[in-house]
């Protein structure tokens, strides 16, 4: 249940528990899609998904360390997607016969930006999954240890 506060004549309602966590989960989902689209050379679609990630995170608590991490990743993804789309569009307007070197340079720059940031983003997202797996394994091992010690106590009593 959310609580209400009276602040300078305005009633503000605090968000429910898990509000920021849900925003982070949605942002991560959009960033997974963005990273794959960047690697697959789809700058317009990656621009759309990264803007969805930014929009999702903008309503959360900005000073939270977790939110700041995902907001930063979302903003960087948006900027890389925009840069990549701009270079891709410019390279499409360049005549290949007259300015082959310029066209190749523009194409290469946009692909490098997409592959590098897409790879970094995939790495960050994969490490997040690894952290969750490590926590789950640690908790499971503690439960197993407690069960084993409980069974040993029962065996000694019998």
């Amino acid at each position: 249940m959310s609580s209400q506060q009276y602040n300078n004549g305005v009633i503000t309602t605090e968000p429910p528990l898990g509000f920021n966590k849900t925003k982070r989960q949605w942002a991560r989902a959009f960033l997974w899609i963005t990273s794959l689209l960047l690697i697959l050379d789809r700058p317009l679609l990656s621009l759309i998904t990264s803007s969805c990630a930014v929009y999702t995170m903008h309503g959360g608590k900005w000073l939270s360390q977790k939110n700041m991490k995902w907001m930063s990743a979302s903003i960087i993804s948006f900027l890389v997607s925009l840069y990549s789309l701009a270079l891709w569009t410019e390279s499409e307007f360049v005549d290949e016969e007259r300015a082959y070197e310029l066209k190749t340079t523009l194409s290469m720059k946009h692909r490098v930006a997409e592959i590098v940031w897409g790879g970094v983003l995939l790495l960050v997202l994969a490490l997040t999954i690894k952290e969750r797996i490590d926590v789950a394994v640690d908790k499971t091992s503690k439960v197993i240890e407690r069960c084993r010690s409980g069974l040993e106590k029962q065996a000694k009593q019998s």
Side-chain angles (χ1 to χ4, degrees), residues 151-158:
L151 290 173
E152 288 175 355
K153 286 181 184 178
Q154 280 184 346
K156 287 180 183 178
Q157 291 176 355
S158 298

Side-chain angles (χ1 to χ4, degrees), residues 12-64:
T12 58
T13 304
E14 290 196 20
L17 289 174
F19 177 76
N20 286 315
K21 182 179 180 182
T22 303
K23 287 193 167 290
R24 286 192 300 272
Q25 288 172 342
W26 275 101
R28 279 195 297 268
F30 284 125
L31 289 174
W32 273 106
I33 296 167
T34 300
S35 62
L36 294 174
L37 289 170
L38 283 171
I39 290 175
L40 295 174
D41 193 21
R42 301 288 186 258
L44 180 60
L45 294 175
S46 69
L47 182 68
I48 292 168
T49 57
S50 62
S51 64
C52 289
V54 170
Y55 182 75
T56 300
M57 288 303 299
H58 94 281
K61 183 178 178 184
W62 281 63
L63 298 178
S64 163

Side-chain angles (χ1 to χ4, degrees), residues 62-73:
W62 281 63
L63 298 178
S64 163
Q65 181 180 3
K66 292 177 185 177
N67 285 4
M68 197 175 297
K69 176 171 85 171
W70 294 112
M71 182 60 147
S72 300

Side-chain angles (χ1 to χ4, degrees), residues 3-14:
S3 63
Q4 292 185 344
Q5 297 175 349
Y6 188 74
N7 188 10
N8 294 331
V10 177
I11 296 176
T12 58
T13 304
E14 290 196 20

